[in-house]
Amino acid sequence: MSDIAYTNSSPYDSGEASSSPESALHRPHVLIATAVDAEREAVLRGLGQDGRFDVVAVGVGPAAAAAYTARALARHRYGLVISAGIGGGFAGQAAIGSLVIANAIVAADLGSETPDGFLSVQELGFGTDRIVPDADLSQRWMQALERGGLSAYHGPILTVSTTTGSAESAAFLARRIPGAAAEGMEGFGVATAAAAYELPVLEIRAISNAVGPRDRGAWKIKEALEALEAASSHLLEVLT
Ligand SMILES: O=C(O)c1cccc(C(=O)CC[C@H]2O[C@@H](n3cnc4c(=O)[nH]cnc43)[C@H](O)[C@@H]2O)c1
């Protein structure tokens, strides 16, 4: 993980972070959190020169993502937070090279295994296992991607601490979370930090591999990063 790196200086540099839930359109500074630098660079290539976006590599996994997103949110005022990166696609939902925009950001492995099966943190009574992204902005991004001829799906994106590595685990997740479209490792952490600041959140995954038996050599990272770059180039249409 790189340290936080900004594309520009924020007009709110000298201000304190705010927790007031203003509209992203009235206060359009946007924080985009990727896991690693290669994803950050793809997003920056897509955005071009636009001073409204800060793009930060926050590390791999939900804990690092939550901590470093919260650190960025404490330093500047933002109107919108986006979790962006490559991810796994569920069979029959999202093909390699396509894009998924979340309609739910789900902490898929946060809970307890029991002799009778998995209980989510929600079922255990300890909080929520899902955060709902901003529906209007998600829809506008979907429409912009479709106008741009990109293959995009709107569905639940799962956050896991351990990447799914077998057909059985993939099938179990797909059964437990109907419509599960993609899997990543940061979305719920980024979204939890955004929620702490009462900010709207979005998540996008560019599909590099199928969720299932691990075959790292087969990951199409270049194609996924190109799709992430293309998706990022349509963000300006979403905010205006
Ligand atoms: O090796 C590279 O060049 C490279 C470039 C960009 C990204 C990577 C990563 O390994 C990113 C790790 C990141 O990817 C997400 N991810 C991707 N596939 C899955 C999956 O099947 N299940 C869960 N997460 C996945 C995840 O968010 C990782 O943080 C390498």
Side-chain angles (χ1 to χ4, degrees), residues 35-36 38-39 59-61 86-89 160 163-164 183-186 205 208-211 216 219 221 225:
V36 300
E39 295 166 324
V60 171
I86 67 171
V160 291
T163 55
T164 302
E183 175 185 283
M185 299 177 75
E186 294 78 30
R205 290 284 151 188
S208 54
N209 58 282
V211 174
R216 183 63 169 75
W219 285 24
I221 291 179
L225 292 175

